Amino acid sequence: MTRLKTDILVIGAGSGGLSVAAGAAQMGAKVILLEGHKMGGDCLNYGCVPSKALIASGKAAYAQANASAFGVADVVPQIDYAAAKDHVAGVIDTIAPMDSQERFEGLGVHVIREYGAFISPTEVQAGDAVITARRIVIATGSSPLVPPIPGLDTVPYETNETLVQLRERPEHLLIIGGGPIGMEMAQAHIRLGCRVTVIEGDKALGKDDPETAAIVLDRLRGEGIEIAEDALAAEIRGKPGAMEIETKDGRVFKGSHLLMAVGRKANTERLNLDAAGIETTKQGIKVDDRLKTTNGRVYAIGDVAGGMMFTHVAGYHAGVIIRSALFALLSRQRTNHIPWATYTDPELAQVGLTEAQARAAHGDRLEVVRFEYAHNDRAIAERKTTGLIKLMVVRGRPVGASIAGAQAGELINLWALVLANKMKMKHVAAMVAPYPTIGEINKRAAGAYFSPRLFDSLVVKRVVGLVQRWLP
């Protein structure tokens, strides 16, 4: 048995763990990084990266079939599903060196390719090594949640982890789960020539603002995706290539392949947390606003901490604990400025409060500002006029933004900046945006907030009248 001592021990080489390891090592700390599976974690190998690559293949096929509005003949795309998966693999391979063991060892990180488990409050065993660290960071991420639906154990099914490897195009893909993963994969697959049915036990895209979500769902249905809501799966039966899902209300959906996309669960099983005195909840490891666990030497970040399960949140968490663990600064997390996006076409994005949440929190003080894509010249030029931005504003300060439309995931960046820095609408209105860009939508939305104050105000009109009367 080998005994090692270090300043920082990071368990898990996904987005959050890699960010902590790289930052700490480059700032002079001694770092050990444990990873028992693939460097880069879920995001690189099974999640964000491969899904966006497959979405890109779907967009290319859709563009060929829908070009006539631009004066280019529509054609029936010749889709090679296996070649699309080659594209996905190529994208992963291109990015992988940035997350590789070799790169991190070059930064001075001691990488051990083993899973880690606590054997005491201060010790972690990884293979034949026992490691003691001043601070330990758990960054083990999450895995697909597979609920105990009767019959599921008798049929083959995919998750986001296995879908990457699927080479044969599904004839009819059944998707259980109408959240972001389910809807992104639904659109990608229908554009790649599959029939698709989404079965959602509640409301599809139910965590987003209903008005903006409806814009996306209308488009998906328009492309031919069957979306069944309030359809709780009660039984699954069949065989490879011929499966049936019966819902609680008696509806039956038939298809050739099944994708489970009902959510994520925190990866805590291998950690032996009881030995370290670390408590968990139903969502994941219990942490405070400093991301400390119930063991004061141990932090948990990213998906395993049970909060917002996004790659960029894990990266944000890494910054919080680097300030705390390396510089002994009081550093706390907050969530009101964290954006998220669903990369359907049109995209769906959110930061801060939705309209319903803002009304509940602020009552009559809330103003909701709307601006439609149809009034943006670049959107008109590119025939991407389906979309809407909604801003929730309280006394001149935005508290939330909801966007559905082209490049919504890009547009939300500005509002994330505004909320993070507690800026006001006047700061966005003062911005000069290049013309013609989709980004003008943000400025025009801010202008829509001020328009009634300027153009419908009798006081403003009287002042202008007086000034004009007395000007030489």
Side-chain angles (χ1 to χ4, degrees):
M1 191 69 65
T2 304
R3 291 196 168 270
L4 303 173
K5 290 186 178 181
T6 189
D7 296 322
I8 306 289
L9 170 62
V10 181
I11 307 174
S15 175
L18 292 178
S19 296
V20 172
Q26 291 178 96
M27 292 179 188
K30 188 177 180 181
V31 180
I32 294 177
L33 173 65
L34 307 181
E35 176 53 63
H37 193 35
K38 291 187 176 183
M39 297 289 290
D42 183 84
C43 181
L44 171 63
N45 297 291
Y46 310 115
C48 318
V49 171
S51 65
K52 303 313 165 284
L54 194 65
I55 286 169
S57 292
K59 283 184 177 180
Y62 183 83
Q64 289 188 16
N66 295 271
S68 59
F70 300 93
V72 180
D74 292 343
V75 298
V76 177
Q78 301 301 303
I79 297 168
D80 184 335
Y81 188 77
K85 289 300 183 69
D86 290 339
H87 157 66
V88 171
V91 170
I92 295 171
D93 289 344
T94 300
I95 298 173
M98 291 298 295
D99 293 350
S100 67
Q101 178 174 341
E102 293 76 15
R103 176 172 178 262
F104 277 79
E105 287 176 339
L107 295 174
V109 178
H110 181 182
V111 180
I112 299 175
R113 301 303 295 272
E114 298 281 357
Y115 292 106
F118 286 90
I119 57 175
S120 79
T122 59
E123 297 173 302
V124 171
Q125 183 168 350
D128 62 358
V130 173
I131 305 154
T132 304
R134 294 179 184 276
R135 295 290 182 268
I136 299 172
V137 180
I138 301 172
T140 49
S142 64
S143 300
L145 175 64
V146 180
I149 302 172
L152 183 59
D153 58 346
T154 68
V155 299
Y157 61 88
E158 309 294 335
T159 67
N160 71 295
E161 292 184 355
T162 62
L163 189 64
V164 175
Q165 307 301 327
L166 185 65
R167 304 284 296 177
E168 179 184 351
R169 182 173 66 188
E171 179 185 343
H172 187 167
L173 182 62
L174 301 173
I175 301 176
I176 296 183
I181 295 173
M183 303 318 297
E184 288 178 359
M185 289 300 94
Q187 189 175 41
H189 279 80
I190 201 162
R191 289 179 167 189
L192 291 172
C194 309
R195 291 176 61 195
V196 179
T197 299
V198 178
I199 301 155
E200 166 56 46
D202 194 1
K203 300 298 180 186
L205 299 175
K207 292 185 179 180
D208 284 275
D209 173 78
E211 184 178 6
T212 51
I215 293 171
V216 175
L217 294 173
D218 286 348
R219 173 67 172 274
L220 299 182
R221 289 188 171 104
E223 290 190 21
I225 299 170
E226 180 183 7
I227 303 173
E229 297 180 295
D230 299 312
L232 188 65
E235 184 182 356
I236 300 173
R237 53 185 176 261
K239 59 184 179 180
M243 284 185 275
E244 294 184 357
I245 299 172
E246 184 172 347
T247 60
K248 192 173 182 180
D249 58 8
R251 284 179 281 177
V252 176
F253 301 91
K254 297 181 180 181
S256 62
H257 291 70
L258 172 61
L259 171 64
M260 297 300 298
V262 296
R264 310 283 298 175
K265 62 175 182 177
N267 291 332
T268 59
E269 295 86 356
R270 297 176 183 269
L271 293 169
N272 193 28
L273 296 174
D274 288 343
I278 297 173
E279 297 179 13
T280 61
T281 68
K282 290 182 179 180
Q283 289 72 41
I285 294 176
K286 182 178 180 181
V287 296
D288 61 16
D289 60 358
R290 297 175 64 186
L291 297 169
K292 280 191 173 185
T293 70
T294 48
N295 179 332
R297 291 179 176 269
V298 181
Y299 299 86
I301 66 172
D303 288 8
V304 77
M308 301 171 75
M309 291 187 173
F310 303 110
T311 296
H312 51 282
V313 172
Y316 165 64
H317 284 173
V320 171
I321 66 165
I322 282 175
R323 289 189 292 273
S324 177
L326 296 186
F327 298 103
L329 299 174
L330 185 61
S331 183
R332 292 187 168 92
Q333 66 156 332
R334 59 190 182 100
T335 59
N336 68 309
H337 66 307
I338 302 292
W340 68 85
T342 301
Y343 299 95
T344 47
D345 178 15
E347 294 180 356
L348 182 63
Q350 177 71 40
V351 67
L353 303 177
T354 64
E355 180 179 356
Q357 291 168 339
R359 288 197 184 284
H362 299 285
D364 294 340
R365 295 182 299 160
L366 175 69
E367 294 181 67
V368 179
V369 181
R370 290 175 169 81
F371 186 82
E372 296 183 358
Y373 273 61
H375 303 303
N376 175 267
D377 292 355
R378 183 63 177 273
I380 294 170
E382 297 192 2
R383 297 189 178 274
K384 296 178 179 178
T385 54
T386 300
L388 170 71
I389 179 172
K390 291 171 58 176
L391 302 176
M392 279 52 72
V393 186
V394 177
R395 295 177 180 173
R397 195 183 304 276
V399 296
S402 306
I403 310 175
Q407 299 181 36
E410 307 294 335
L411 295 178
I412 205 69
N413 286 324
L414 175 65
W415 300 105
L417 172 70
V418 169
L419 266 65
N421 293 281
K422 301 180 181 179
M423 298 165 71
K424 293 188 174 182
M425 294 294 283
K426 66 180 181 181
H427 297 116
V428 180
M431 175 187 72
V432 177
Y435 174 88
T437 59
I438 296 292
E440 282 186 288
I441 289 171
N442 284 331
K443 180 176 173 62
R444 291 288 300 276
Y449 173 76
F450 288 107
S451 290
R453 290 166 169 77
L454 294 174
F455 304 137
D456 299 336
S457 169
L458 291 176
V459 173
V460 171
K461 291 179 179 180
R462 287 171 182 168
V463 170
V464 171
L466 288 172
V467 171
Q468 295 305 308
R469 189 177 304 166
W470 290 103
L471 280 175

